[in-house]
Amino acid sequence: MTTHEPDFRFTQPGTLIAALPAVLGFVPEQSLVLVSLERGEMGAVMRVDLPKVLDGDLSHLAELASASGADTVVAVIVDAEGAACPMCNQDYRDLCDDLTSALSAHGMDLYAGHVVDRVEAGGRWHCVDGCGAFGAVEDPMASPLAAAAVLDGRRLYRRRADLQAVIEVVDEKRSAAMVPVISERSDARGVDWRADPDGCGRRDVEAAMALSARVCDGEEPNDIELAGLACALTDVNVRDTLYALAVGAEAARAEALWALLARTVPEPWRIEALVLLAFSAYARGDGPLAGLSLEAALRSDPQHRMACMLDTALQSGMRPEQIRELAGTGYRLAKRLGVRLPPRRAYGRRAV
């Protein structure tokens, strides 16, 4: 996962570590977190499971770091047990040595390596190389980035598993039972589409917006309604029009609907909901949710065109304002279909 926070200036390790939950969207545990520095400011941030990198190849991680355009990286090793184990420091030093070699192949330097037991107020960090530096982690909830995340409507999760719950299928039996329902709705929609393609698309988009308003009000759509939306998303004109909702005044409503759909319908229909959710999250600057949604979508369909494009953009650190430009296609399609979309929302200066 790659995110950007160029407005945050690096000062001390305790401050930097405290900022990680707001950037990642959750509190990292058993993790290696790489923070690239761009002229002293926090740039791209990447996290991987610590067990995967202790004995693994770091070349891909270094390649992702280099895509950010920065030339300096800080490594933060989060390990509750290892931080209190003097013998583990050699493993950390070996890891940082390997990381230094991998980064140097891309013209980058490892500025510092820190080990921390827990990313919360009172957590303790120390340097990897035995320099003797150590200190306490500041309160993550008091971080300026945490405040910015809350103002942007982002939720900070206690664990990565809590973030995953946003998109995981809740009821496998219900999901499987929806397959014949979706097939039936698809057949009925096919008849309508052949009679009037634009009219069918217009009704689908309007139905999706109405359904998102009901979901936002706390209503639970029935399986027939969700099945109808799922098969409507297989229509490229409907799907591409709905991408525009991500930059509209009612973007939160649409995002809630995509998350509900992702948790409810079976594959392959679930994939389109995941990608719509990813685009919406990315557009508002929520890199963690966007990355997780794309990961799930690409696991099911590695060749999905939009998912691949968004994943490449996210991994390379493309800014949300650049991604929002893709919504213009949706507004043009809506005009052709005769659909009135919510007006575009105004964005402040905010980057992932």
Side-chain angles (χ1 to χ4, degrees), residues 292-304:
L292 199 65
S293 301
L294 291 171
E295 181 182 321
L298 290 170
R299 194 162 51 239
S300 299
D301 182 4
Q303 305 303 319
H304 191 286

Side-chain angles (χ1 to χ4, degrees), residues 164-165 167-173 175 262-266 270:
Q164 289 176 315
I167 64 168
E168 287 184 351
V169 175
V170 175
D171 187 338
E172 294 286 355
K173 290 184 177 180
S175 180
R263 294 193 301 268
T264 308
V265 301
R270 177 174 182 260

